[in-house]
């Protein structure tokens, strides 16, 4: 086993600030002002994209790229545009949900990407910059929101209650 790569192992194009790190199947994704790189454990580095990113998030073997002007999903060597912001909106952060969906932090609040559309999160989430996310074991979403601290969004689950649960009938 070789030594872990260091900052000096990044190409000169990555000399800017490292915006985000995420695990890759064979190493590490590194998002910088100079683009997105994949670093393997043996120190090999590959340029994935020359455009700067604000944030990135791994989803299996795919990688989501957050740029102010659009959200992209990089998979199998192809970078697909997933969403564009509305006027005045800037993308800041993202948490993949699977199936092409994601929680999206912007400068004007929290949104959910559903079927290629951005849908505003419940009213309980302040309409301020959402910077980071965590999905806990129960499926609740935690978001760090500028000026509001940490916000807990309990993601609702649908449950049918009927005769099997003690009601007199399934019809209401």
């Amino acid at each position: 086993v070789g030594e872990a790569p260091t900052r000096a192992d990044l190409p000169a194009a990555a000399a800017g600030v490292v915006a985000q790190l995420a695990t890759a199947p064979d190493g590490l994704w590194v998002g910088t002002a100079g683009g997105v790189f994949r670093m393997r454990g043996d120190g090999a580095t590959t340029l994935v994209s020359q455009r700067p990113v604000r944030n990135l998030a791994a989803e299996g073997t795919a990688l989501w790229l957050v740029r102010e002007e659009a959200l992209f999903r990089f998979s199998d060597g192809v970078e697909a545009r997933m969403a564009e912001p509305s006027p005045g909106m800037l993308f800041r952060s993202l948490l993949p949900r699977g199936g092409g969906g994601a929680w999206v932090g912007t400068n004007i609040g929290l949104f959910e990407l559903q079927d290629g559309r951005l849908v505003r999160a419940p009213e309980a989430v302040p309409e301020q910059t959402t910077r980071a996310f965590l999905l806990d074991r129960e499926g609740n979403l935690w978001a760090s929101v500028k000026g509001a601290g940490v916000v807990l969004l309990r993601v609702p689950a649908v449950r049918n209650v009927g005769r099997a649960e003690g009601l007199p009938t399934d019809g209401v």
Side-chain angles (χ1 to χ4, degrees), residues 161-163 167-172:
V161 179
R163 187 178 303 197
L167 291 180
T169 180
D170 287 329
V172 287

Side-chain angles (χ1 to χ4, degrees), residues 70-130:
L71 298 175
F72 297 87
R73 190 169 183 272
F74 183 81
S75 181
D76 298 323
V78 177
E79 188 175 296
R81 185 180 293 257
M82 301 299 287
E84 295 182 12
S86 59
M89 177 189 286
L90 300 173
F91 293 131
R92 298 291 187 219
S93 55
L94 179 134
L95 179 66
R97 294 195 59 175
W103 290 106
V104 181
T106 75
N107 62 317
I108 58 171
L110 176 63
F111 289 78
E112 185 176 1
L113 181 62
Q114 301 174 348
D115 301 319
R117 296 178 315 117
L118 289 169
V119 178
R120 185 172 286 284
E123 294 176 12
V125 179
E127 294 182 4
Q128 297 177 34
T129 301
T130 305

Side-chain angles (χ1 to χ4, degrees), residues 18-32 36-40 48 53 55-65 94-96:
V18 174
Q20 191 73 10
L21 302 171
T23 58
D26 59 350
L28 184 68
W29 297 106
V30 181
T32 75
V36 178
F37 299 84
R38 187 174 67 218
M39 296 178 69
R40 293 194 331 231
V48 175
V53 294
N55 203 319
L56 51 84
E59 179 185 31
T61 60
L63 180 68
W64 287 82
L65 308 174
L94 179 134
L95 179 66

